[in-house]
Amino acid sequence: MPDRGGGPTGPRIRAGRPSRRVRTLLVTLGVLAALAMAFTMFAGFWTDWLWYRSVHYSSVFTTTLWTKIGLFFVFGVLMALAVGFNIWLAHRLRPPLSAMSMEQQSLDRYRMGIAPYKTWLLLAVTALVGLIAGASAASQWRTWLMWVNGVSFHQKDPQFHRDVSFYAFDLPWYRFLLAFGFATAILSLIAAGLTHYLYGGLRVTSPGSRASAAATGHLSVLLGIFVSLKAIAYWLDRYGLAVKSSDFKTTGNWTGLRYVDANAYLPAKTILFFIAVICALLFFATLWRRTWQLPVIGFGLMVLSAVLIGGLYPAIVQKFQVQPNEQAKEAPYVQKNLTATREAYGIDHTKVSEYSGRSSTDDKTKLRDQVGQTASIRIMDPNVVSPTFQQLQQIRNYYGFPKNLDVDRYTTKDGKEQDTVLGLRELNLDGIPKNNWINDHFRYTHGYGVVAAKGTESDDKGRPVFTEKNLPSKGDLGTYQQQVYYGEKTTTYSIVGGPQKEIDYSDDEGEKTTSYTGKSGVNLDNPLNRAAYAVSFNEPQILYSGAIGKGSRILYNRTPKDRVESVAPWLTIDGDAYPAVVDGRIQWIVDAYTTSNGYPYASRTTLGDTTADSLTATNDSRAVVAQQNQVNYIRNSVKATVDAYTGDVKLYQWDAADPVLKTWMKAFPHTVKPRADISPELMAHLRYPQDLFKVQRELLTRYHVTNAQTFLSGSEVWQVPDDPSNDSRDSVPPYYLSMKMPDQKQQVFSLTTTFTPNGRDNLSAFMAVDSDPRASDYGKIRILKLPTSTTVDGPKQVQSQFNSEPSIAETISLLSRGHSQVEYGNLLTVPLDGGLLYAEPVYVRGGTLTYPLLRKVLVTYEGRTAFEDTLDEALDKVFGVKGSEPPSTGTTEPPASTSPTVRQALEDAQKAYDAGQEALKSGPDWDAYAKAQKDLQDALRKAEDAQSKADKPRTSGD
């Protein structure tokens, strides 16, 4: 064809096509991006492997990894093969194309479009479904390991007489296999159906048969497989009734069979199983009889039966058999639930004793003498005095204490064991002089020392009586490794042991430096390791910084909870790790639980709800356990320790009879040490865990009764009272203290709580558990049940009684004037000679002080109340000893120990406060208000100085 353009001829450049240089650049960038993504993925894997190897738990990493990889490939390949095979088979069974209808002409364009890419399209579809299925299967690694390693409970359920291990370990895996089978059948059915439709095996608008014989047979087999799986599901549903949760109006949350389940749902599931089997056979029969008439009829019958037998019939039974006589019908099943729930939560051996709530003697002197023998009343509240520790023992701004301190037992120099409040002086990066990368990660790397104080005393100024203090810490704890590289507040990484020196501590001679000599962390000598951590931590300086050299090690995952969770991902960790000085080292002690959601007939509880209280609501470091985890079996099976210097994690088998722990120990051999390896020094600091106690006390609000009729009536339902010392409306936390219950001969370190009747504030019961593992009754729960015919004041009523006493209210009002704030400590309850003694420390913060000091102690016993400067004085007042007669009306006199100077200063403070308020109303007059505030501060300072001179040492009265 002649050239009509008149211009030069030659090869034409296609519009929009990039040049070779641009294409080369794009390919290079693509390769580099792929390499970067690959190295990022590798860095995450490599740093995880290095960390597990550094803590000597590499077997946990490899076992988990290979289990996930195995499940991913096995189930991913199975899904890909199943879907791919059915697509291939549907394509192979396509009918020959003859006369084309409009429908087929439209589809022909798609057939021609994908014809060159059929193989690639098949591979892409199968790969996609395989990846999704494999990823889903990999997440079931716990279910697989529990199934393949499961051990017997040696205990059978009361309905089907199957071992509990079937429900805890086997049934969850069978349900996963069933779900995978359903997904495979449905995806295969969809893929095969689309392929048959695309290639003419199925017709929607074309004349003639709607489906070819081959398509009919193929799809019928897939439907038969689906219905067969449904039959298996019906059969497993029978056993699922034993662990099914439902809402029972008389008892609330309910797990297990009820009357309607055993007499309607159970036979219905059995009947539906046989109907589904027959229906599946009808679908398979279409291979010989190429018609869907009988299978469709059978399928319709199955659906109708599911509605009538599985839905309508149970509703009729519930309406006309159960409701007219519910308690009689449900009582046998409630009894099974009572027994199973008490066993699953370890509360089946709870000792419930009747307790009068009234003293059995009139000898007040004898009662006064019994107080010190009955309990070591703790007036140092670990949840209040942390700011006092901070102010008096922080020493440097870059140290800090947790918001809630811990209570433990330590032996004094005279050989007696006493309750002790303690905390670690941990690193606080917010307080370092200047924040930069070197300071944050190289120089300020650790905290230093333990600070401890007597729990039952304060000094003459209301401050803690420290038994371990200063920097370096010195006192009753002796010599120990004081550097704290691992702690609750240590959440960032540090690089130690290299050329950069670390700040160790400061004293009068200046800063002391050190270099980490432990073997913890990962060595950064290797350039590959440095590159991997630079990528993982998104910190390029790790790769090239001169502060990193020979011997440099990176420490991370430094909180005790994180370390134990990482090395034992199959454990549920208690929300409160606590430190102890053991064998010359600071060890974090972490309680860990094995749990299950498959204990038949045991009612479920949500751990996040039952472990929440007024402390978890206000303290980030004391977290609730496993927020949304629902369980119906729990054991404190493992005690773990984390060395504060080396970070070494040790797991000890605590409950040797727990089958869940035995299962995990089979899955991860040699990770848990035997209980015999616990040293006597460590044993002395172990205790009963708070979160388990809180779960058990929540269950015991209903499951303290053992009679089904009483349980159904709801007349004995209790509740955990709200914390009366604040307005949070959250549950009162349990308290540790050394005390003895009425049937005990001596004090035992215990964990205690109270109960009130549902919807009322008077006391219904007192609960305590022996928390010292050296005692023969460790873990024994005792409940003192008060009579329902009499009323004994509960915590809220006692607190209200304190606040409503005119003299107490007046004193508290004066103490809280100006910038001062009154803080109530733990309201401790102690059973004493048939009655109940309440004691509560009262702290004052403000004025010239920014931390709370103990100023008063509130005590009440059987309506007699005292509000004195010391616990001894308050007890003397309540029991009428040392010339102080107990008030007969339950009211108190003004504190006798308050000097005239203090009274006059408080009156001046009140006048100054009133003058300030009047100045605000008139104008306001800011000059008058400023003068009034100065007068108020002067008066409060004068009252504080006068009171300090008059104060005496405060003791527990032991």
Side-chain angles (χ1 to χ4, degrees):
M1 191 172 180
D3 179 16
R4 299 180 182 273
T9 61
R12 297 183 181 179
I13 299 177
R14 296 181 182 177
R17 182 177 180 180
S19 66
R20 179 177 298 177
R21 180 177 299 177
V22 172
R23 293 199 304 270
T24 303
L25 177 61
L26 291 175
V27 170
T28 303
L29 291 175
V31 171
L32 291 176
L35 290 175
M37 292 177 61
F39 187 78
T40 301
M41 296 173 62
F42 168 78
F45 163 81
W46 185 243
T47 53
D48 285 347
W49 160 249
L50 291 173
W51 186 86
Y52 275 96
R53 191 176 65 173
S54 73
V55 293
H56 311 295
Y57 282 89
S58 54
S59 62
V60 174
F61 178 80
T62 54
T63 299
T64 304
L65 177 65
W66 286 116
T67 302
K68 291 179 178 179
I69 290 174
L71 291 172
F72 178 86
F73 277 104
V74 168
F75 287 93
V77 168
L78 285 175
M79 177 66 79
L81 288 177
V83 174
F85 172 76
N86 280 283
I87 294 175
W88 172 84
L89 184 60
H91 179 266
R92 185 177 178 84
L93 296 176
R94 67 191 184 278
L97 298 177
S98 54
M100 301 288 285
S101 64
M102 293 296 296
E103 180 184 22
Q104 295 303 312
Q105 290 178 19
S106 298
L107 292 173
D108 192 49
R109 292 196 295 269
Y110 294 102
R111 288 192 286 262
M112 294 176 64
I114 66 173
Y117 312 106
K118 285 192 293 186
T119 302
W120 291 107
L121 185 61
L122 175 63
L123 291 175
V125 171
T126 55
L128 178 62
V129 297
L131 287 172
I132 295 173
S136 176
S139 67
Q140 297 295 320
W141 64 271
R142 290 182 178 85
T143 307
W144 161 260
L145 288 177
M146 293 184 77
W147 177 70
V148 78
N149 295 288
V151 302
S152 173
F153 275 69
H154 301 294
Q155 194 168 356
K156 296 182 178 180
D157 78 280
Q159 181 66 41
F160 303 102
H161 307 292
R162 303 292 299 264
D163 191 272
V164 173
S165 61
F166 170 78
Y167 302 93
F169 306 140
D170 299 343
L171 193 58
W173 179 250
Y174 297 154
R175 288 193 180 278
F176 165 72
L177 291 179
L178 189 62
F180 179 81
F182 274 123
T184 304
I186 292 172
L187 289 175
S188 297
L189 188 62
I190 293 172
L194 289 174
T195 305
H196 279 299
Y197 176 71
L198 182 62
Y199 287 96
L202 294 178
R203 306 177 184 90
V204 178
T205 60
S206 300
S209 176
R210 299 297 183 195
S212 66
T216 299
H218 184 194
L219 297 179
S220 294
V221 170
L222 291 175
L223 286 169
I225 293 173
F226 178 84
V227 177
S228 298
L229 292 172
K230 187 62 179 175
I232 298 174
Y234 281 134
W235 189 258
L236 289 181
D237 284 347
R238 298 168 69 254
Y239 299 108
L241 293 172
V243 290
K244 183 194 72 170
S245 288
S246 58
D247 187 25
F248 198 4
K249 68 178 182 180
T250 55
T251 62
N253 181 35
W254 173 270
T255 300
L257 284 84
R258 290 153 51 188
Y259 180 89
V260 69
D261 296 313
N263 295 276
Y265 281 111
L266 184 57
K269 297 292 184 182
T270 306
I271 294 171
L272 288 171
F273 165 76
F274 288 109
I275 292 175
V277 169
I278 294 172
C279 185
L281 293 174
L282 291 176
F283 274 108
F284 291 138
T286 57
L287 287 173
W288 296 275
R289 300 186 67 228
R290 300 302 177 102
T291 175
W292 278 346
Q293 184 176 6
L294 286 178
V296 170
I297 293 174
F299 189 78
L301 175 63
M302 186 179 74
V303 173
L304 182 62
S305 300
V307 174
L308 296 178
I309 302 175
L312 184 60
Y313 174 61
I316 293 174
V317 170
Q318 178 69 24
K319 179 70 175 178
F320 296 102
Q321 291 190 32
V322 178
Q323 287 185 5
N325 193 15
E326 186 173 49
Q327 289 206 4
K329 295 289 187 183
E330 300 288 12
Y333 304 95
V334 170
Q335 194 64 53
K336 296 175 183 178
N337 176 269
L338 279 170
T339 302
T341 301
R342 289 168 62 86
E343 291 172 348
Y345 290 95
I347 57 177
D348 49 325
H349 296 299
T350 299
K351 180 181 179 182
V352 181
S353 306
E354 299 296 329
Y355 193 71
S356 66
R358 293 286 182 266
S359 176
S360 59
T361 181
D362 293 328
D363 189 344
K364 304 304 181 185
T365 302
K366 179 181 177 182
L367 285 174
R368 175 65 182 87
D369 293 338
Q370 285 182 357
V371 174
Q373 302 169 10
T374 302
S376 297
I377 298 176
R378 182 168 35 75
I379 57 176
M380 282 291 110
D381 186 347
N383 307 310
V384 174
V385 299
S386 178
T388 307
F389 273 50
Q390 186 85 5
Q391 183 69 27
L392 301 178
Q393 285 295 313
Q394 179 187 20
I395 311 298
R396 293 291 182 267
N397 289 335
Y398 47 82
Y399 294 131
F401 292 92
K403 183 177 291 186
N404 297 97
L405 303 176
D406 289 289
V407 178
D408 204 345
R409 302 89 71 205
Y410 285 89
T411 303
T412 60
K413 293 179 180 178
D414 58 2
K416 293 183 179 180
E417 197 168 83
Q418 69 178 7
D419 291 356
T420 303
V421 177
L422 78 163
L424 297 192
R425 194 184 283 112
E426 292 192 49
L427 178 67
N428 175 26
L429 287 178
D430 292 335
I432 67 176
K434 183 178 180 180
N435 286 102
N436 55 53
W437 191 64
I438 294 296
N439 279 347
D440 291 353
H441 301 290
F442 289 83
R443 287 183 56 79
Y444 295 91
T445 59
H446 59 278
Y448 207 96
V450 176
V451 176
K454 295 180 180 181
T456 55
E457 296 182 23
S458 70
D459 67 10
D460 58 355
K461 294 184 178 181
R463 300 174 302 191
V465 177
F466 292 108
T467 58
E468 186 80 10
K469 61 181 180 179
N470 297 336
L471 187 67
S473 295
K474 296 178 182 178
D476 294 349
L477 301 185
T479 303
Y480 58 95
Q481 175 64 261
Q482 297 202 17
Q483 286 98 336
V484 180
Y485 282 88
Y486 294 88
E488 289 180 307
K489 298 172 71 68
T490 314
T491 56
T492 188
Y493 71 89
S494 289
I495 299 175
V496 298
Q500 178 67 59
K501 291 293 185 179
E502 310 162 43
I503 301 296
D504 200 23
Y505 65 91
S506 300
D507 59 15
D508 295 338
E509 299 177 0
E511 290 184 344
K512 307 293 184 180
T513 61
T514 187
S515 186
Y516 184 71
T517 59
K519 300 301 182 184
S520 183
V522 177
N523 199 314
L524 294 180
D525 286 352
N526 188 329
L528 176 62
N529 292 356
R530 294 178 67 170
Y533 279 103
V535 171
S536 294
F537 288 4
N538 194 26
E539 184 51 72
Q541 293 186 78
I542 293 177
L543 187 60
Y544 56 80
S545 173
I548 300 175
K550 185 175 179 56
S552 292
R553 311 181 71 86
I554 185 167
L555 312 182
Y556 61 106
N557 281 0
R558 298 171 70 184
T559 67
K561 185 173 184 290
D562 287 344
R563 293 182 79 78
V564 176
E565 276 183 330
S566 297
V567 303
W570 36 274
L571 289 173
T572 300
I573 310 302
D574 190 272
D576 182 32
Y578 61 97
V581 177
V582 180
D583 295 323
R585 308 193 71 85
I586 300 173
Q587 298 283 353
W588 288 97
I589 300 175
V590 183
D591 285 287
Y593 310 107
T594 49
T595 62
S596 175
N597 196 27
Y599 198 98
Y601 271 102
S603 290
R604 289 182 171 86
T605 185
T606 303
L607 292 180
D609 294 338
T610 54
T611 59
D613 58 27
S614 62
L615 295 185
T616 62
T618 59
N619 182 17
D620 294 337
S621 64
R622 182 165 295 186
V624 297
V625 175
Q627 283 280 5
Q628 301 302 321
N629 280 17
Q630 273 208 334
V631 304
N632 66 355
Y633 173 92
I634 186 169
R635 290 289 186 272
N636 176 213
S637 296
V638 172
K639 300 284 188 180
T641 61
V642 178
D643 191 290
Y645 183 77
T646 66
D648 287 345
V649 181
K650 293 181 180 178
L651 308 176
Y652 296 99
Q653 183 181 14
W654 186 247
D655 187 345
D658 178 28
V660 180
L661 178 60
K662 291 178 180 178
T663 296
W664 286 119
M665 289 176 67
K666 281 182 64 179
F668 297 97
H670 312 301
T671 57
V672 181
K673 298 178 180 294
R675 179 169 176 160
D677 285 3
I678 299 176
S679 68
E681 291 79 7
L682 175 59
M683 186 71 75
H685 294 283
L686 301 182
R687 67 189 191 189
Y688 200 83
Q690 292 186 68
D691 286 329
L692 175 61
F693 184 78
K694 287 188 278 189
V695 170
Q696 290 174 325
R697 76 171 177 178
E698 180 65 32
L699 268 295
L700 283 168
T701 59
R702 293 172 292 144
Y703 287 92
H704 63 278
V705 302
T706 56
N707 179 271
Q709 296 292 344
T710 305
F711 186 83
L712 281 166
S713 69
S715 60
E716 291 288 334
V717 175
W718 300 337
Q719 65 183 14
V720 178
D722 295 340
D723 191 342
S725 64
N726 57 60
D727 298 325
S728 66
R729 297 186 177 275
D730 294 299
S731 298
V732 62
Y735 295 121
Y736 287 106
L737 76 156
S738 294
M739 58 162 290
K740 68 175 183 178
M741 294 287 274
D743 64 334
Q744 293 179 302
K745 295 182 180 180
Q746 61 184 8
Q747 292 184 22
V748 177
F749 190 65
S750 304
L751 190 54
T752 66
T753 192
T754 53
F755 296 108
T756 58
N758 193 26
R760 299 169 59 192
D761 294 327
N762 57 289
L763 196 68
S764 58
F766 175 83
M767 171 180 167
V769 62
D770 286 9
S771 298
D772 191 334
R774 298 167 298 176
S776 58
D777 284 343
Y778 171 81
K780 183 174 183 178
I781 299 174
R782 294 176 172 88
I783 293 180
L784 303 180
K785 182 176 178 292
L786 280 80
T788 56
S789 57
T790 60
T791 300
V792 178
D793 289 341
K796 187 175 181 179
Q797 292 173 319
V798 169
Q799 189 71 52
S800 298
Q801 180 181 338
F802 285 155
N803 296 337
S804 62
E805 295 288 350
S807 57
I808 295 176
E810 180 181 355
T811 304
I812 290 177
S813 176
L814 291 174
L815 290 174
S816 59
R817 295 300 188 190
H819 298 288
S820 297
Q821 178 183 353
V822 171
E823 297 183 27
Y824 294 100
N826 38 221
L827 178 59
L828 300 177
T829 309
V830 177
L832 179 67
D833 193 57
L836 289 158
L837 176 74
Y838 288 95
E840 183 178 46
V842 178
Y843 303 83
V844 176
R845 182 206 304 244
T848 59
L849 297 175
T850 59
Y851 55 94
L853 294 177
L854 179 67
R855 287 307 185 200
K856 296 289 181 181
V857 179
L858 287 160
V859 173
T860 185
Y861 185 75
E862 296 194 340
R864 295 184 294 276
T865 302
F867 184 51
E868 302 298 323
D869 293 344
T870 69
L871 177 61
D872 278 341
E873 292 174 356
L875 291 171
D876 292 345
K877 186 98 173 191
V878 163
F879 293 108
V881 297
K882 296 185 179 180
S884 177
E885 295 296 330
S888 58
T889 61
T891 59
T892 61
E893 300 298 327
S897 62
T898 303
S899 68
T901 304
V902 174
R903 289 197 189 98
Q904 184 60 50
L906 291 176
E907 290 177 4
D908 293 342
Q910 180 67 55
K911 292 178 181 177
Y913 175 81
D914 294 338
Q917 298 301 308
E918 186 64 31
L920 290 176
K921 293 179 183 177
S922 347
D925 186 342
W926 296 111
D927 292 337
Y929 179 75
K931 182 179 182 305
Q933 288 300 300
K934 183 179 183 304
D935 294 341
L936 176 60
Q937 291 182 11
D938 292 341
L940 289 174
R941 188 179 299 108
K942 186 183 297 183
E944 183 180 343
D945 293 341
Q947 187 65 36
S948 297
K949 294 178 182 178
D951 279 344
K952 301 176 182 178
R954 294 159 169 81
T955 67
S956 65
D958 286 21

